[in-house]
Amino acid sequence: MEIKKAEFTLSAPTVTMCPKDDKPEYAFIGRSNVGKSSLINMLTNNRKLAKTSATPGKTLLINHFIINNEWYLVDLPGYGYARRSKKEVQKLEQMISGYILQREQLMNVFLLVDVRLEPQKIDLDFIEWLGTSNIPFAIVFTKADKLSVSKVSQNVEAYKKVLLETWEELPPIFITSSEKKAGRSEVLDYIEQINRNLKG
Ligand code: GTP
Ligand code: MG
């Protein structure tokens, strides 16, 4: 799929303040600093579209970006950042879960996981929650440029094994690097296929 146009729409603190529009949307979630905003920039070929930062906790609102005037990419705040107050954690959790559970036009959640790390409980818990909430999701491994190709596939295989301890089937899995623009067409083709099915 070709991205002809990508524009920031708005930032919302709650799902009720998200764009009043029923176009399909695709959201990115995962631990703070995993590379959600960077992935959106990589997919849209625009380094400045979503704000990124080397320090975790950069994205704090629900950010909508309209693509080709037809569908949205949605950047969410990360979870699991240790240096946050209880109140702040609660507020963000509500923002994220409210959006994911209530946004009817949300077609798929991309759950981002740093490919360098062993499976983290917080991510496995989030995957469990998505599954039991019946939210369609795919797993996107990020920062593949930081490891050798063989180490990447070793880690991905190990992750699948852990998932198969709980799940009968694996979700779609993508391996990406925003730095090297890897996995771009795979993720965009997946979105395009869902968009096409919606049109019937
Ligand atoms: P929050 O908004 O804080 O939750 O973080 P985020 O998940 O949006 O992460 P962000 O995109 O801001 O990236 C965090 C850091 O990781 C930045 O320093 C990025 O440059 C870096 N980063 C993101 N993706 C990649 C990647 O594919 N490769 C490498 N090497 N660095 C990456
Ligand atoms: Mg971000």
Side-chain angles (χ1 to χ4, degrees):
M1 169 170 39
E2 206 190 323
I3 300 221
K4 294 172 214 132
K5 207 161 117 186
E7 283 173 343
F8 170 71
T9 307
L10 60 83
S11 296
T14 61
V15 62
T16 51
M17 293 172 84
C18 287
K20 307 273 179 283
D21 192 346
D22 59 5
K23 294 184 179 80
E25 54 192 55
Y26 300 85
F28 297 80
I29 188 66
R31 290 166 73 225
S32 289
N33 215 43
V34 70
K36 300 174 289 296
S37 304
S38 302
L39 185 64
I40 288 179
N41 292 345
M42 186 272 263
L43 293 174
T44 56
N45 268 328
N46 182 342
R47 289 177 144 270
K48 289 185 181 153
L49 193 62
K51 289 192 183 113
T52 67
S53 166
T55 28
K58 180 70 181 173
T59 311
L60 292 169
L61 294 163
I62 305 165
N63 298 291
H64 276 73
F65 302 94
I66 181 101
I67 311 300
N68 296 346
N69 290 328
E70 280 184 355
W71 52 278
Y72 289 95
L73 288 176
V74 181
D75 194 13
L76 296 170
Y79 55 74
Y81 178 39
R83 291 169 68 182
R84 266 179 186 150
S85 70
K86 238 187 181 165
K87 221 175 148 185
E88 208 183 348
V89 169
Q90 260 177 5
K91 199 179 88 182
L92 289 173
E93 277 178 1
Q94 265 175 24
M95 191 191 291
I96 294 165
S97 65
Y99 168 78
I100 290 177
L101 295 176
Q102 291 166 47
R103 190 76 171 163
E104 282 176 24
Q105 55 275 65
L106 174 61
M107 295 303 146
N108 183 82
V109 170
F110 290 101
L111 186 280
L112 275 60
V113 174
D114 188 325
V115 77
R116 293 172 295 176
L117 306 179
E118 305 210 324
Q120 304 285 302
K121 183 170 187 302
I122 194 162
D123 294 325
L124 296 172
D125 287 350
F126 200 89
I127 291 169
E128 177 93 34
W129 178 78
L130 287 172
T132 51
S133 307
N134 282 320
I135 305 292
F137 69 94
I139 296 181
V140 176
F141 289 97
T142 65
K143 309 195 183 185
D145 58 283
K146 297 239 190 190
L147 294 178
S148 68
V149 173
S150 63
K151 186 66 184 158
V152 165
S153 59
Q154 197 182 320
N155 286 5
V156 171
E157 287 313 309
Y159 211 101
K160 285 183 185 168
K161 220 169 148 189
V162 170
L163 290 175
L164 288 171
E165 287 170 11
T166 329
W167 302 93
E168 269 179 40
E169 254 181 87
L170 291 171
I173 288 176
F174 300 96
I175 300 170
T176 67
S177 161
S178 296
E179 195 79 19
K180 295 267 185 285
K181 290 194 173 282
R184 182 174 183 271
S185 60
E186 287 81 358
V187 172
L188 289 178
D189 287 351
Y190 176 72
I191 293 174
E192 184 177 30
Q193 198 165 341
I194 299 174
N195 283 340
R196 214 183 284 149
N197 288 342
L198 288 170
K199 286 185 185 160

